[in-house]
Amino acid sequence: MADVLKKVPVREQEPKVRATNFNEVCLGYNKDEAMEEASRCLNCKNAKCITGCPVNINIPGFVQEVKNGDFKKAYEVISQSSALPAICGRVCPQESQCEGKCIRGIKGESVSIGKLERFVADWAREQGIKPAAPAQKNGKKVAVIGSGPAGLTCAGDLAKLGYDVTIFEALHEPGGVLVYGIPEFRLPKLDVVAKEVENVKSLGVKIETNVIIGRSITIDELMDEEGFEAVFIGSGAGLPMFMGIPGETARGVFSANEYLTRNNLMKAFREDYDTPIATGKKVAVVGGGNVAMDAARTALRLGAEVHIVYRRSEAELPARAEEVHHAKEEGIIFDLLTNPKEILVDENDAVKGMTCIRMELGEPDASGRRRPVEVPGSEFTLDVDTVIMSLGTSPNPLISSTTIGLDVNKRKCIIADEETGKTSKDGVFAGGDAVTGAATVILAMGAGKSAAKGIHEFLSGQAN
């Protein structure tokens, strides 16, 4: 009899093996493991795990179906709330959301909700099961800008309500951050992302790629000339931030966005793709979030010695504990309480090192985290030939600057109502990173879901 206080272990590639390939690290549950893990669920009547989920999946409902071996029914339960379960099961921070609220976790380990969601979604995909399309259209057209998690969720929910939805995507492949930002070893593109996108399209959603809103066509033109009665902006936050230190314009300095896009979307890691990238022999990744871990683990797989340079301690690392654990297992070096001061450049304008300074933690700042303070006289040089800046991103101002009457805040984020996604422009809604700045996939999905409800209420005359 298994220990009900402990999670059923999840199989993974061995660290030394996976550090040399781009295959998925986590291998997931098989049927028996999933049913055993599902049997740990207490099936609470007042299920706090649901309130911890930004898209409010009926978690006890689908978990009980897994326990009973009815995986089709489990998929149907999940699909009522989520358009991207195979993705969420892989990249959501469950430990701080649904699993963080799990009652089983009080006296033991929480139920592996994310791994069970992944199992169900993967099983449904392998069986060729797709979400049910609406019986009929209602004749109303809605445009969705961006095919990332916010846009796909909003489009899928609106399509289920009968709307004629078209997604406009700036890049040549749909998926947004799911295809350009998250590495293959965490989120396979063909087997998972592309199939989830196809599921959304099977609901009747149309996707037009290579359309840059604000250049190819504006929001005003979509509404005034193309007959769209509402628009959802889910364009994400793809504008990278830099430190402003000397040497940042040198060859061998990347934003994490560019580095990951070249690898994930443009397949630089594959020998049969002609995508140039300076892999580097010694790489410093500046930052401590999930994107920093993704960039570091990617550089490692490209053959580099990799350092994470972060100005606070491990306790303040914003990345998921699982990602930090995997990075350490694979051999990433963590230079904590360390901050860059200057990127050193040779006569050919290439990186030849990075001057850093040691830090110590002082009093808490506005975020509640202890403020890092420089230790005088502690400067040293880190021997690197490539630097990847992973300091966060902000929305590209192109859409807001080309749309009449669309208000933004001082960070260039679109101002939108949290519950409905409604913006200052009539008929235009927004959500996800374009509104909040860089956040998680599941929070973007939650925003897309709220906006779909807001759009439906607006177009059906139910809005206040």
Side-chain angles (χ1 to χ4, degrees):
M1 180 70 180
D3 184 354
V4 295
L5 298 181
K6 295 279 189 181
K7 293 181 177 182
V8 174
V10 182
R11 291 163 292 118
E12 296 178 343
Q13 280 197 75
E14 289 294 327
K16 288 184 179 179
V17 175
R18 70 183 190 237
T20 65
N21 66 57
F22 279 81
N23 299 328
E24 192 168 12
V25 169
C26 180
L27 304 178
Y29 285 144
N30 60 29
K31 173 183 172 182
D32 293 336
E33 290 165 340
M35 292 176 68
E36 182 181 343
E37 179 62 21
S39 70
R40 298 181 60 239
C41 177
L42 297 171
N43 197 16
C44 307
K45 285 188 166 53
N46 180 24
K48 296 186 183 299
C49 55
I50 299 177
T51 62
C53 173
V55 294
N56 299 121
I57 292 171
N58 179 1
I59 293 168
F62 98 78
V63 172
Q64 292 308 304
E65 298 300 345
V66 174
K67 175 184 174 182
N68 297 334
D70 193 340
F71 308 136
K72 184 175 185 292
K73 181 64 175 175
Y75 180 71
E76 290 170 355
V77 173
I78 294 173
S79 296
Q80 291 171 4
S81 304
S82 175
L84 310 171
I87 291 167
C88 290
R90 286 168 164 84
V91 303
C92 275
Q94 290 99 4
E95 66 277 4
S96 62
Q97 294 179 343
C98 55
E99 293 181 19
K101 302 277 189 182
C102 178
I103 298 300
R104 173 62 82 187
I106 294 175
K107 291 186 177 179
E109 294 179 351
S110 61
V111 176
S112 283
I113 297 167
K115 297 298 188 292
L116 291 175
E117 181 181 19
R118 167 191 165 148
F119 166 78
V120 171
D122 287 356
W123 180 89
R125 182 181 68 248
E126 290 161 5
Q127 302 300 315
I129 298 171
K130 294 182 178 293
Q136 59 185 22
K137 299 277 189 180
N138 61 23
K140 296 179 182 292
K141 289 175 62 177
V142 179
V144 170
I145 301 170
S147 63
L152 289 170
T153 299
C154 185
D157 279 15
L158 287 170
K160 289 175 183 176
L161 292 168
Y163 290 92
D164 184 353
V165 185
T166 302
I167 296 176
F168 295 96
E169 168 57 50
L171 298 176
H172 62 281
E173 279 187 35
V177 69
L178 305 172
V179 293
Y180 73 73
I182 303 175
E184 189 79 14
F185 54 81
R186 281 218 294 138
L187 186 62
K189 306 304 171 228
L190 286 176
D191 290 342
V192 177
V193 178
K195 296 293 173 59
E196 297 275 67
V197 171
E198 285 302 315
N199 282 349
V200 173
K201 289 172 70 175
S202 73
L203 296 171
V205 174
K206 297 182 285 293
I207 301 179
E208 294 190 21
T209 56
N210 300 307
V211 179
I212 301 174
I213 302 299
R215 285 287 181 268
S216 308
I217 191 169
T218 65
I219 286 177
D220 294 294
E221 288 168 343
L222 285 173
M223 300 183 79
D224 297 340
E225 300 173 16
E226 300 297 325
F228 289 98
E229 297 177 59
V231 175
F232 172 71
I233 304 171
S235 50
L239 190 65
M241 299 177 185
F242 288 87
M243 293 186 70
I245 60 175
E248 273 188 320
T249 59
R251 289 190 300 112
V253 179
F254 293 86
S255 69
N257 255 34
E258 179 188 358
Y259 194 80
L260 290 169
T261 298
R262 285 176 179 268
N263 276 280
N264 302 335
L265 179 65
M266 301 169 70
K267 306 292 192 290
F269 68 90
R270 285 177 48 171
E271 293 183 1
D272 55 334
Y273 274 71
D274 187 19
T275 304
I277 189 167
T279 54
K281 293 181 179 178
K282 292 188 176 182
V283 176
V285 178
V286 181
N290 290 324
V291 176
M293 299 304 144
D294 286 344
R297 296 172 68 197
T298 295
L300 181 82
R301 284 160 170 77
L302 292 174
E305 173 187 297
V306 184
H307 295 249
I308 289 278
V309 178
Y310 181 62
R311 63 185 186 150
R312 288 184 166 94
S313 71
E314 183 169 348
E316 287 80 30
L317 279 169
R320 293 181 67 190
E322 182 180 58
E323 301 308 316
V324 174
H325 172 68
H326 282 158
K328 284 183 174 181
E329 280 190 327
E330 291 166 7
I332 304 292
I333 301 163
F334 281 72
D335 291 316
L336 302 173
L337 291 168
T338 301
N339 206 37
K341 298 286 284 184
E342 179 180 0
I343 296 169
L344 306 175
V345 181
D346 67 16
E347 63 277 5
N348 297 314
D349 195 36
V351 175
K352 68 173 184 179
M354 186 166 71
T355 301
C356 300
I357 190 167
R358 301 292 183 194
M359 310 292 286
E360 60 185 8
L361 296 180
E363 295 301 313
D365 61 15
S367 70
R369 294 183 299 173
R370 294 172 65 192
R371 185 187 302 277
V373 180
E374 292 184 357
V375 177
S378 64
E379 291 89 349
F380 68 99
T381 299
L382 195 61
D383 178 23
V384 293
D385 57 18
T386 303
V387 177
I388 301 171
M389 292 292 181
S390 182
L391 307 168
T393 54
S394 61
N396 189 315
L398 178 61
I399 290 175
S400 58
S401 65
T402 57
T403 306
I404 298 170
L406 188 64
D407 292 344
V408 297
N409 61 23
K410 62 183 180 181
R411 295 186 298 133
K412 303 299 183 187
C413 294
I414 297 167
I415 298 172
D417 183 83
E418 190 175 332
E419 292 186 6
T420 65
K422 191 178 187 321
T423 71
S424 58
K425 186 175 178 67
D426 197 40
V428 176
F429 297 73
D433 292 4
V435 170
T436 61
T440 62
V441 167
I442 189 63
L443 288 176
M445 289 178 62
K449 196 170 192 64
S450 296
K453 184 173 181 288
I455 290 170
H456 177 56
E457 290 172 351
F458 170 74
L459 292 178
S460 61
Q462 301 173 34
N464 294 327

